[in-house]
Amino acid sequence: MRVEGRWELLSSDLTIGDKTYPCGAGRYMVKEIRAGRFNFFSAAPQRAPFPPTGPTPEARLAAAESFDAGAGTYTLDGERYVESVEFCSYPNYVGADLAFTVRVDGDTLVQEGEYPLTRLGLGPVDGYLIETYRRIED
């Protein structure tokens, strides 16, 4: 299975209990997987530029809230894909290993699995994440 390439996120659904939340709605996300490393960038489509007088604390906060990024290493063993996070906009992810099952069908990659919200300190129960990507570059 060839997961290496550049992928555009088409959908991301996080299920917690009996509720499913669309993640990243209204944002554009690209994930790159190459040579044992991964990175992702996610941004709101209409990010406001800083004012001509320079970035105010409020403008810096708005910029940070409209952009996410992360990077690290990955391993792939059959369908088991594990991301080891080295850098991330969300500090709770740094140092975490996130394991998923991946499938590639043509130019579509589906990544899914238990999402360790409890271990990451982001919630009282874990969730289940399903992400679908489209290959945009080999």
Side-chain angles (χ1 to χ4, degrees):
M1 171 174 20
R2 193 169 71 82
V3 299
E4 291 198 346
R6 190 171 180 155
W7 303 89
E8 174 184 27
L9 183 68
L10 300 177
S11 67
S12 177
D13 292 315
L14 178 62
T15 300
I16 302 171
D18 61 355
K19 289 190 177 186
T20 298
Y21 304 90
C23 299
R27 294 177 72 104
Y28 180 70
M29 180 177 156
V30 171
K31 178 181 274 195
E32 191 161 13
I33 304 171
R34 297 195 190 282
R37 300 201 58 83
F38 79 93
N39 62 66
F40 72 89
F41 304 95
S42 170
Q46 301 297 321
R47 297 180 77 213
F50 289 136
T53 56
T56 63
E58 296 81 11
R60 291 177 61 86
L61 179 58
E65 289 177 341
S66 65
F67 183 81
D68 296 313
T73 61
Y74 78 90
T75 58
L76 179 65
D77 183 10
E79 291 185 339
R80 182 176 163 77
Y81 171 80
V82 179
E83 294 179 345
S84 298
V85 182
E86 295 174 341
F87 307 96
C88 192
S89 303
Y90 297 100
N92 295 36
Y93 285 78
V94 175
D97 291 332
L98 305 173
F100 301 98
T101 298
V102 293
R103 298 182 309 281
V104 176
D105 183 13
D107 285 342
T108 301
L109 179 143
V110 176
Q111 172 179 315
E112 67 179 290
E114 296 296 323
Y115 206 67
L117 296 169
T118 305
R119 179 169 45 96
L120 293 171
L122 300 173
V125 297
D126 291 338
Y128 193 84
L129 181 69
I130 300 175
E131 293 182 327
T132 302
Y133 295 87
R134 178 180 61 87
R135 186 186 303 274
I136 55 176
E137 186 180 299
D138 282 331

